[in-house]
Amino acid sequence: MTAVREISRNQAFGGQQLRLQHASETLQCEMTFGVFLPPKTQTSPVPVLYWLSGLTCNDENFAQKAGAQRLASELGIAVVCPDTSPRGTDLPGEHDSWDFGSGAGFYLNATQPHWAGHYNMYDYVSKELPAIVEANLPVTDQRSVSGHSMGGHGALMCALKDPDRYCSVSAFAPICHPSETPWGIKAFSHYLGEDRNSWREWDATQLVGCVDRQLPILIDQGTDDEFLGEELKPGSLEQACICTHHPLEVRMQEGYDHSYFFIASFINDHLRYHARALGLLK
Amino acid sequence: MTAVREISRNQAFGGQQLRLQHASETLQCEMTFGVFLPPKTQTSPVPVLYWLSGLTCNDENFAQKAGAQRLASELGIAVVCPDTSPRGTDLPGEHDSWDFGSGAGFYLNATQPHWAGHYNMYDYVSKELPAIVEANLPVTDQRSVSGHSMGGHGALMCALKDPDRYCSVSAFAPICHPSETPWGIKAFSHYLGEDRNSWREWDATQLVGCVDRQLPILIDQGTDDEFLGEELKPGSLEQACICTHHPLEVRMQEGYDHSYFFIASFINDHLRYHARALGLLK
């Protein structure tokens, strides 16, 4: 069993906000993740919402800024927040840009030799980390997944590539069509190489017709998001979902931007959405 | 009228989270403050809760980490967060310590020549800033005050030195007896000089018997706060309040520490406490 070390523990809303560290086989480095354990874990295991963060974030942003613990505590949901890339690897070029490399793992499995030894964030967040969490913490194997921006893309990858592992999926301002937008093109070129056929399996808009099981998707998107037109393209995913009859609700939120203030404003709706799918709420 | 410039604006919980900048006469420098305006300000002015932050903080910590906007939005309270010291002044020695100088104004008016030109945070937060806020924003002159640690001390200073300006006061883990504890002694020695008689008027435990009007005090204090015994000393204030018949409730919160997770866990109780005093809630 992978050893997990506690870095910090803060009581919050009757539960515990932890930072934990472990050696990752998938990423070949030490990784840190955050977890909120609601008070109910003192008596019985609870389901887990995995939260995948966006570019430049680490395991702490969501725990500090989203204000999710109050309702997660009431509902009895644990919230696990992985980091956004391998850390401490210091590959050449890894720290040169804010939108690529460290802090920008894009929740895929890299195939290019320079990156493939470490940049396997999809396998990490969808397989290795849940196994570690479920072996070490008072949680069940019921999982939901959500995320923001690059992490919204990550949540969609989890739900579309392996829908049987999750009870529900949602996203805030996700990158919906990365193979056609600048951040995605930059990341995919480096991690996956120039053959664009290999990009299809990491693009929600292209994957949505190829799933075994259709998990309904809930998306919140601010109308004043500075990245909406250039990087996020929820309209492309909407079109693809219409064509493939994949259930999707995109809620355009008037006046909201790309910040954590937007996430905090609507996180309770997402927690309740997942709680219903997890059987915690009617 | 003092000109106020907008640095940023984020929609949050149907209202607006702003950062504003202005020239401060009291501090002789440019200052930045944060304000949350609830949706009700679109139709009528609302009362203001002033939040005073602790050592090393600036105007942003509370807005990002406390999760106060959700309930402030519902109740119709604006929340103003000043910075914790003058900025951009670059006095010799000002940036040498995390617990003194920049980020550590201690909400007093300095008397020592080296500091007196700028370090007048008491007059700034209790007089100049409210005047600017009330002249420029859709708020009334009904004020409440709260804060954390050094800012809890600041909130107590506001309520004890000028109780007619505030409807209510509360604090999280305040420094209750700074003239007898290390952070306070260091700050007072520099800002006020070595004559300890001059320290009395900036020490809640010593001031509490000398007030014109007794505003009841609500304090939340974590039992696992790493600074409880050495720096905070709520027991000293409790004793003084008993002797002087000043109404005080100290709620010892089992297992909580000094972090923002503690503040976030109990901020709603404080918002409702102030809302009742401001006539917004029964």
Side-chain angles (χ1 to χ4, degrees), chain A residues 50-57 61-62 66 84 107 145-156 170-175 183 220-222 225-227 232 257-264 267 270:
Chain A
Y50 287 85
W51 173 267
L52 306 182
S53 284
L55 290 167
T56 76
C57 288
N61 303 63
F62 185 81
T84 57
Y107 304 104
V145 65
S146 186
H148 176 230
S149 194
M150 175 184 77
H153 151 75
L156 294 171
S170 74
F172 290 80
I175 301 174
W183 290 333
D220 271 320
Q221 172 63 59
D225 188 321
E226 55 272 43
F227 303 113
L232 306 177
D257 58 29
H258 202 66
S259 71
Y260 259 90
F261 294 115
F262 161 58
I263 299 171
I267 191 66
H270 288 239

Coordinates of all heavy atoms in Angstrom, one line a residue, chain A residues 50-57 61-62 66 84 107 145-156 170-175 183 220-222 225-227 232 257-264 267 270:
Chain A
Y50 N -13.9 14.5 -6.9 CA -12.6 14.9 -7.3 C -12.7 16.2 -8.0 O -13.5 16.4 -8.9 CB -12.0 13.8 -8.3 CG -11.6 12.6 -7.5 CD1 -12.5 11.6 -7.2 CD2 -10.3 12.4 -7.0 CE1 -12.2 10.5 -6.4 CE2 -9.9 11.3 -6.2 CZ -10.9 10.4 -6.0 OH -10.5 9.3 -5.2
W51 N -11.9 17.2 -7.6 CA -11.9 18.5 -8.2 C -10.5 18.7 -8.9 O -9.5 18.6 -8.3 CB -12.0 19.6 -7.1 CG -11.8 21.0 -7.7 CD1 -10.6 21.7 -7.8 CD2 -12.8 21.8 -8.4 NE1 -10.8 22.9 -8.5 CE2 -12.1 22.9 -8.9 CE3 -14.1 21.6 -8.7 CZ2 -12.8 23.9 -9.6 CZ3 -14.8 22.6 -9.4 CH2 -14.2 23.7 -9.8
L52 N -10.6 19.0 -10.2 CA -9.4 19.2 -11.0 C -9.3 20.7 -11.3 O -10.1 21.3 -11.9 CB -9.5 18.4 -12.3 CG -9.8 16.9 -12.1 CD1 -9.9 16.2 -13.4 CD2 -8.8 16.2 -11.2
S53 N -8.1 21.2 -10.9 CA -7.9 22.7 -11.0 C -7.4 23.1 -12.4 O -7.0 22.2 -13.2 CB -7.0 23.2 -9.9 OG -7.7 23.2 -8.7
G54 N -7.3 24.4 -12.6 CA -6.9 24.9 -13.9 C -5.4 25.3 -13.9 O -4.7 25.1 -12.9
L55 N -5.0 25.9 -15.0 CA -3.6 26.3 -15.3 C -3.1 27.1 -14.1 O -3.8 28.0 -13.6 CB -3.6 27.1 -16.6 CG -3.8 26.4 -17.9 CD1 -4.1 27.4 -19.0 CD2 -2.7 25.5 -18.2
T56 N -1.9 26.9 -13.8 CA -1.1 27.6 -12.7 C -1.5 27.2 -11.3 O -0.8 27.6 -10.3 CB -1.2 29.1 -12.8 OG1 -2.4 29.6 -12.3 CG2 -0.9 29.6 -14.2
C57 N -2.6 26.5 -11.1 CA -3.1 26.1 -9.8 C -2.3 25.0 -9.2 O -1.5 24.3 -9.9 CB -4.5 25.8 -9.8 SG -5.6 27.2 -10.0
N61 N -5.6 25.8 -4.2 CA -6.5 26.9 -4.6 C -7.9 26.6 -4.3 O -8.6 27.5 -3.7 CB -6.3 27.2 -6.1 CG -4.9 27.5 -6.5 OD1 -4.1 26.6 -6.4 ND2 -4.7 28.7 -7.0
F62 N -8.4 25.5 -4.7 CA -9.8 25.2 -4.5 C -10.2 25.1 -3.0 O -11.2 25.7 -2.5 CB -10.2 23.8 -5.1 CG -11.7 23.5 -5.1 CD1 -12.6 24.1 -6.0 CD2 -12.2 22.7 -4.1 CE1 -13.9 23.8 -5.9 CE2 -13.5 22.4 -4.1 CZ -14.4 22.9 -5.0
A66 N -12.8 28.3 -2.9 CA -14.1 28.0 -3.4 C -15.2 27.9 -2.4 O -16.4 28.0 -2.8 CB -14.0 26.6 -4.1
T84 N -1.8 20.0 -10.4 CA -2.2 20.1 -11.8 C -1.1 19.6 -12.7 O -1.2 19.7 -14.0 CB -2.5 21.5 -12.2 OG1 -1.3 22.4 -11.8 CG2 -3.7 22.0 -11.4
Y107 N -4.2 16.9 -17.9 CA -5.0 15.7 -17.6 C -5.0 14.7 -18.8 O -6.0 14.2 -19.1 CB -6.4 16.1 -17.1 CG -6.3 17.0 -15.9 CD1 -6.6 18.4 -16.1 CD2 -6.0 16.6 -14.7 CE1 -6.5 19.3 -15.0 CE2 -5.9 17.5 -13.6 CZ -6.1 18.8 -13.8 OH -6.0 19.7 -12.7
V145 N -16.8 13.9 -10.4 CA -15.6 14.7 -10.8 C -16.1 16.0 -11.3 O -17.1 16.1 -12.0 CB -14.8 13.9 -11.8 CG1 -15.5 13.6 -13.1 CG2 -13.4 14.6 -12.1
S146 N -15.3 17.0 -11.0 CA -15.6 18.4 -11.5 C -14.3 19.1 -11.6 O -13.2 18.6 -11.2 CB -16.5 19.1 -10.5 OG -16.9 20.4 -11.1
G147 N -14.3 20.3 -12.2 CA -13.1 21.0 -12.4 C -13.3 22.3 -13.1 O -14.4 22.6 -13.6
H148 N -12.2 23.1 -13.2 CA -12.3 24.5 -13.7 C -11.3 24.7 -14.9 O -10.1 24.3 -14.7 CB -12.0 25.5 -12.6 CG -11.9 26.9 -13.0 ND1 -10.8 27.7 -12.7 CD2 -12.8 27.7 -13.8 CE1 -11.0 28.9 -13.2 NE2 -12.2 28.9 -13.9
S149 N -11.8 25.1 -16.0 CA -10.9 25.5 -17.1 C -10.2 24.3 -17.6 O -10.8 23.3 -18.0 CB -10.0 26.7 -16.7 OG -9.4 27.3 -17.8
M150 N -8.8 24.3 -17.5 CA -8.1 23.1 -17.9 C -8.6 21.9 -17.1 O -8.7 20.7 -17.6 CB -6.6 23.3 -17.6 CG -5.8 22.0 -17.9 SD -4.0 22.2 -17.5 CE -4.0 22.2 -15.7
G151 N -9.0 22.1 -15.8 CA -9.5 21.1 -15.0 C -10.9 20.7 -15.3 O -11.4 19.5 -15.0
G152 N -11.7 21.6 -16.0 CA -13.0 21.2 -16.5 C -12.8 20.2 -17.7 O -13.5 19.2 -17.8
H153 N -11.8 20.5 -18.5 CA -11.4 19.6 -19.6 C -11.1 18.2 -18.9 O -11.5 17.2 -19.4 CB -10.3 20.2 -20.4 CG -9.3 19.2 -20.9 ND1 -9.6 18.4 -22.0 CD2 -8.1 18.8 -20.6 CE1 -8.6 17.6 -22.3 NE2 -7.6 17.9 -21.4
G154 N -10.3 18.3 -17.8 CA -9.9 17.0 -17.2 C -11.1 16.3 -16.7 O -11.2 15.0 -16.8
A155 N -12.1 17.0 -16.1 CA -13.3 16.3 -15.6 C -14.0 15.6 -16.7 O -14.5 14.5 -16.6 CB -14.1 17.3 -14.8
L156 N -14.1 16.3 -17.9 CA -14.8 15.8 -19.0 C -14.0 14.5 -19.5 O -14.7 13.5 -19.9 CB -14.9 16.8 -20.1 CG -15.8 18.0 -19.8 CD1 -15.7 19.1 -20.9 CD2 -17.3 17.6 -19.7
S170 N -19.3 17.4 -13.7 CA -19.7 18.8 -14.0 C -18.4 19.6 -14.2 O -17.3 19.1 -14.0 CB -20.5 19.4 -12.8 OG -19.6 19.7 -11.7
A171 N -18.6 20.8 -14.7 CA -17.4 21.6 -15.0 C -17.8 23.1 -14.9 O -18.9 23.5 -15.2 CB -16.8 21.3 -16.3
F172 N -16.8 23.9 -14.6 CA -16.8 25.4 -14.6 C -15.9 25.8 -15.7 O -14.7 25.6 -15.7 CB -16.3 26.0 -13.3 CG -17.2 25.8 -12.1 CD1 -17.2 24.6 -11.4 CD2 -18.1 26.8 -11.7 CE1 -18.1 24.3 -10.3 CE2 -19.0 26.6 -10.6 CZ -18.9 25.3 -9.9
A173 N -16.5 26.5 -16.7 CA -15.7 27.1 -17.8 C -14.6 26.2 -18.3 O -13.5 26.5 -18.4 CB -15.0 28.4 -17.3
P174 N -15.1 25.0 -18.7 CA -14.1 24.0 -19.2 C -13.5 24.4 -20.6 O -14.2 25.0 -21.4 CB -14.9 22.7 -19.3 CG -16.3 23.1 -19.6 CD -16.4 24.4 -18.8
I175 N -12.3 23.9 -20.9 CA -11.8 23.9 -22.2 C -12.4 22.8 -23.0 O -12.2 21.6 -22.7 CB -10.2 23.7 -22.2 CG1 -9.5 24.8 -21.4 CG2 -9.7 23.7 -23.6 CD1 -8.0 24.6 -21.2
W183 N -4.3 27.2 -26.0 CA -3.7 26.5 -24.9 C -3.6 25.0 -25.3 O -2.6 24.4 -25.0 CB -4.5 26.6 -23.6 CG -4.5 28.0 -23.0 CD1 -3.5 28.9 -23.1 CD2 -5.5 28.5 -22.1 NE1 -3.9 30.0 -22.3 CE2 -5.1 29.8 -21.7 CE3 -6.7 28.0 -21.7 CZ2 -5.9 30.6 -20.9 CZ3 -7.5 28.8 -20.8 CH2 -7.1 30.1 -20.5
D220 N -21.2 25.2 -15.9 CA -21.5 26.7 -15.7 C -20.4 27.5 -16.4 O -19.2 27.1 -16.4 CB -21.5 27.0 -14.2 CG -22.9 26.8 -13.6 OD1 -23.8 27.2 -14.3 OD2 -22.9 26.4 -12.5
Q221 N -20.8 28.5 -17.1 CA -19.9 29.3 -17.9 C -20.3 30.8 -17.8 O -21.4 31.2 -18.1 CB -20.0 28.9 -19.4 CG -19.2 29.8 -20.4 CD -17.7 29.8 -20.1 OE1 -17.1 28.7 -20.1 NE2 -17.2 30.9 -19.8
G222 N -19.4 31.6 -17.3 CA -19.6 33.1 -17.2 C -19.6 33.7 -18.6 O -18.8 33.4 -19.4
D225 N -16.4 35.9 -19.2 CA -15.2 35.2 -19.1 C -14.2 35.6 -20.2 O -14.6 35.5 -21.4 CB -15.5 33.7 -19.2 CG -14.3 32.8 -18.9 OD1 -13.2 33.1 -19.3 OD2 -14.5 31.7 -18.3
E226 N -13.1 36.1 -19.8 CA -12.1 36.6 -20.8 C -11.6 35.6 -21.8 O -11.0 35.9 -22.8 CB -11.0 37.3 -20.1 CG -10.2 36.5 -19.1 CD -10.7 36.6 -17.6 OE1 -12.0 36.4 -17.5 OE2 -9.9 36.6 -16.7
F227 N -11.8 34.3 -21.5 CA -11.3 33.2 -22.3 C -12.4 32.5 -23.1 O -12.1 31.5 -23.8 CB -10.5 32.2 -21.5 CG -9.4 32.8 -20.7 CD1 -9.4 32.8 -19.3 CD2 -8.3 33.3 -21.3 CE1 -8.4 33.4 -18.6 CE2 -7.2 33.9 -20.6 CZ -7.3 34.0 -19.2
L232 N -12.2 28.4 -24.7 CA -13.2 27.5 -24.0 C -14.2 26.8 -25.0 O -14.4 25.6 -24.9 CB -13.9 28.2 -22.9 CG -12.9 28.9 -21.9 CD1 -13.7 29.7 -20.8 CD2 -11.9 27.9 -21.2
D257 N -17.0 36.0 -14.6 CA -15.7 35.9 -15.3 C -15.1 34.5 -15.1 O -15.8 33.6 -14.7 CB -14.8 37.1 -14.9 CG -14.5 37.1 -13.4 OD1 -14.5 36.1 -12.8 OD2 -14.3 38.3 -12.9
H258 N -13.8 34.4 -15.2 CA -13.1 33.1 -15.1 C -12.5 32.9 -13.7 O -11.8 31.9 -13.5 CB -11.9 33.1 -16.1 CG -11.5 31.8 -16.6 ND1 -12.3 30.9 -17.3 CD2 -10.3 31.1 -16.4 CE1 -11.6 29.8 -17.5 NE2 -10.4 29.9 -17.0
S259 N -12.8 33.8 -12.7 CA -12.1 33.7 -11.5 C -12.7 32.7 -10.5 O -13.8 32.2 -10.7 CB -12.1 35.1 -10.8 OG -13.4 35.4 -10.4
Y260 N -12.1 32.6 -9.3 CA -12.6 31.8 -8.3 C -13.9 32.4 -7.7 O -14.7 31.7 -7.0 CB -11.6 31.5 -7.2 CG -11.0 30.1 -7.4 CD1 -9.9 29.8 -8.1 CD2 -11.7 29.0 -6.8 CE1 -9.4 28.5 -8.3 CE2 -11.2 27.7 -7.0 CZ -10.1 27.5 -7.7 OH -9.6 26.2 -7.9
F261 N -14.1 33.7 -7.8 CA -15.4 34.3 -7.4 C -16.5 33.7 -8.1 O -17.6 33.5 -7.6 CB -15.3 35.8 -7.5 CG -14.3 36.5 -6.6 CD1 -13.2 37.2 -7.1 CD2 -14.5 36.4 -5.2 CE1 -12.3 37.8 -6.3 CE2 -13.5 37.0 -4.4 CZ -12.5 37.7 -4.9
F262 N -16.3 33.4 -9.4 CA -17.3 32.7 -10.2 C -17.6 31.3 -9.7 O -18.7 30.8 -9.5 CB -16.9 32.7 -11.7 CG -17.5 31.7 -12.6 CD1 -18.9 31.7 -12.7 CD2 -16.8 30.7 -13.2 CE1 -19.5 30.7 -13.6 CE2 -17.4 29.8 -14.1 CZ -18.7 29.8 -14.3
I263 N -16.5 30.5 -9.5 CA -16.6 29.2 -8.9 C -17.4 29.2 -7.6 O -18.3 28.4 -7.4 CB -15.3 28.5 -8.8 CG1 -14.5 28.4 -10.1 CG2 -15.4 27.1 -8.1 CD1 -13.1 28.0 -10.0
A264 N -16.9 30.1 -6.7 CA -17.5 30.1 -5.4 C -19.0 30.4 -5.4 O -19.8 29.9 -4.7 CB -16.8 31.2 -4.5
I267 N -20.6 26.9 -6.7 CA -20.2 25.6 -6.3 C -21.2 24.8 -5.6 O -21.3 23.6 -5.7 CB -18.9 25.7 -5.5 CG1 -18.2 24.3 -5.3 CG2 -19.1 26.4 -4.1 CD1 -17.7 23.7 -6.5
H270 N -23.3 22.7 -7.8 CA -22.6 21.5 -8.3 C -22.5 20.5 -7.2 O -22.6 19.3 -7.5 CB -21.2 21.9 -8.8 CG -21.3 22.7 -10.1 ND1 -20.6 22.3 -11.3 CD2 -21.9 23.9 -10.5 CE1 -20.9 23.1 -12.3 NE2 -21.6 24.1 -11.8

